[in-house]
Amino acid sequence: MKQLIVIVGPTASGKTAKAIELAKQYSTEIVSADSRQIYTELTIGTAKPSVEQLAEIPHHFINFISIAENYNAGRFEIDALALIEKLFAKHDILVMTGGSGLYINAVLQGFDDLPEENQTIRKQLRNQYELNGISFLQQLLLEKDADYYQKIDLQNPQRLMRALEVCLATGTPYSTFLQNRKGKNARNFSTKVIGINMDRAQLYNRIEQRVDEMIKLGLLDEVKSVLKYKHHNALQTVGYKEMIRFLDGNISLEEVIELIKKNTRNYAKRQLTWFRKMENVEWI
């Protein structure tokens, strides 16, 4: 079976270098799973691979679209899976790396096709639960979806209410959606996920050095060049949003630099929390 090697970890931990090392070892290509490096106009603040690194190994989804376009993890799932299938025609192994957990999950697991929450029905179910207890929810689920009744934790009211909410809102058993999702999200390749971690002080030092380098390379000018898109979701990103505050006159440049470093450290913590919840990660 074809194999996708996935390298995850916090920002500034060395994912790009490790991905290139592995891609060279297996004479293969790299699929980027970074929700910001995908934009052509965002280079310095997203810490894209250098021109030299991009020349060493073919990279995909770097400079993929303009910031003027709307893009999300759902579209990435479709585009990435199509590309991966094409690349596996000539490679047995591919390497994927990036710091965007949602983009990684899009490729590894896909997204549920479940309907969005229906607050009206949920409120009604909660009222019935508070009035009649969990046995009411259990009995109603048995009537609406006997298959899921056999599998669910019948002592978990939240799961019972979510399943019933779908049943009542759509007129379709909850278990039907799960069966459809399982078929839709099946992958015809195996995966090996490698997580990169390092001493917290060392990571923070690398983050501070990276931010200082971004400032020297011209992060401020890069933000100025895309300022008309400042309300775009892509610019609600560490490095860009702080610089926008500076350009709006709300903060000094010295304060901005320290704020970017602080917010990048916090972002790295959130990344680690996300990736540690993933299953079957081999940490190095």
Side-chain angles (χ1 to χ4, degrees):
M1 181 177 281
K2 305 289 187 175
Q3 184 177 55
L4 180 67
I5 300 176
V6 185
I7 302 174
V8 302
T11 186
S13 62
K15 297 186 295 296
T16 296
K18 180 58 66 177
I20 291 174
E21 177 188 331
L22 284 174
K24 285 181 176 179
Q25 178 179 338
Y26 293 111
S27 300
T28 190
E29 305 181 30
I30 296 173
V31 178
S32 171
D34 189 292
S35 64
R36 297 302 181 258
Q37 293 181 0
I38 204 166
Y39 295 109
T40 304
E41 298 87 348
L42 308 183
T43 296
I44 298 172
T46 62
K48 279 178 183 169
S50 66
V51 173
E52 293 76 17
Q53 288 174 319
L54 291 174
E56 285 185 90
I57 293 290
H59 286 67
H60 302 274
F61 296 110
I62 301 284
N63 299 324
F64 182 63
I65 61 170
S66 169
I67 193 175
E69 297 183 51
N70 290 318
Y71 202 78
N72 55 40
R75 282 186 60 187
F76 180 73
E77 178 187 0
I78 295 169
D79 293 341
L81 289 177
L83 174 70
I84 287 170
E85 181 179 2
K86 179 180 177 181
L87 294 178
F88 271 142
K90 56 180 177 177
H91 299 290
D92 289 330
I93 294 175
L94 294 174
V95 177
M96 184 170 74
T97 189
S100 303
L102 199 59
Y103 275 44
I104 299 260
N105 277 3
V107 172
L108 299 188
Q109 301 173 359
F111 293 108
D112 295 350
D113 279 336
L114 295 173
E116 295 183 2
E117 292 186 1
N118 186 308
Q119 294 298 331
T120 300
I121 295 177
R122 176 61 66 94
K123 185 177 180 180
Q124 293 171 350
L125 289 169
R126 181 166 293 282
N127 289 339
Q128 289 291 343
Y129 167 57
E130 292 175 353
L131 184 64
N132 300 308
I134 198 168
S135 61
F136 169 83
L137 301 178
Q138 294 168 345
Q139 183 60 38
L140 186 58
L141 183 62
L142 180 60
E143 296 172 9
K144 298 295 182 182
D145 191 346
D147 286 343
Y148 194 60
Y149 179 89
Q150 302 298 325
K151 302 172 184 177
I152 193 176
D153 175 4
L154 293 172
Q155 302 306 316
N156 188 322
Q158 297 302 323
R159 290 193 178 184
L160 287 166
M161 282 188 282
R162 176 55 178 155
L164 285 168
E165 177 188 331
V166 171
C167 292
L168 295 172
T170 66
T172 302
Y174 183 78
S175 55
T176 301
F177 288 93
L178 299 184
Q179 291 165 6
N180 292 342
R181 179 186 66 180
K182 185 176 181 181
K184 168 183 176 292
N185 294 346
R187 305 298 187 232
N188 60 356
F189 52 84
S190 66
T191 58
K192 180 176 181 64
V193 184
I194 300 170
I196 297 180
N197 200 0
M198 62 175 58
D199 175 75
R200 188 63 59 92
Q202 181 185 5
L203 178 62
Y204 286 176
N205 183 57
R206 287 169 65 107
I207 286 172
E208 295 201 359
Q209 290 179 359
R210 173 177 282 185
V211 173
D212 289 337
E213 184 66 16
M214 286 177 176
I215 300 300
K216 291 178 184 177
L217 289 173
L219 176 60
L220 178 57
D221 288 335
E222 180 171 279
V223 175
K224 288 179 180 178
S225 72
V226 294
L227 196 57
K228 66 180 179 179
Y229 300 108
K230 68 179 183 178
H231 298 300
H232 193 293
N233 185 55
L235 292 181
Q236 306 307 307
T237 301
V238 177
Y240 294 94
K241 61 182 180 180
E242 293 85 359
M243 277 296 182
I244 290 171
R245 286 185 60 189
F246 167 70
L247 292 172
D248 286 344
N250 297 323
I251 192 172
S252 70
L253 185 58
E254 292 75 16
E255 290 173 316
V256 160
I257 295 172
E258 290 307 311
L259 188 58
I260 292 174
K261 291 178 179 178
K262 174 186 175 183
N263 289 344
T264 305
R265 291 193 297 268
N266 291 336
Y267 175 57
K269 290 179 187 176
R270 294 196 300 273
Q271 286 177 303
L272 278 170
T273 299
W274 178 292
F275 293 130
R276 281 173 177 154
K277 291 180 180 178
M278 290 179 62
E279 296 180 357
N280 302 318
V281 179
E282 179 181 336
W283 289 94
I284 62 172

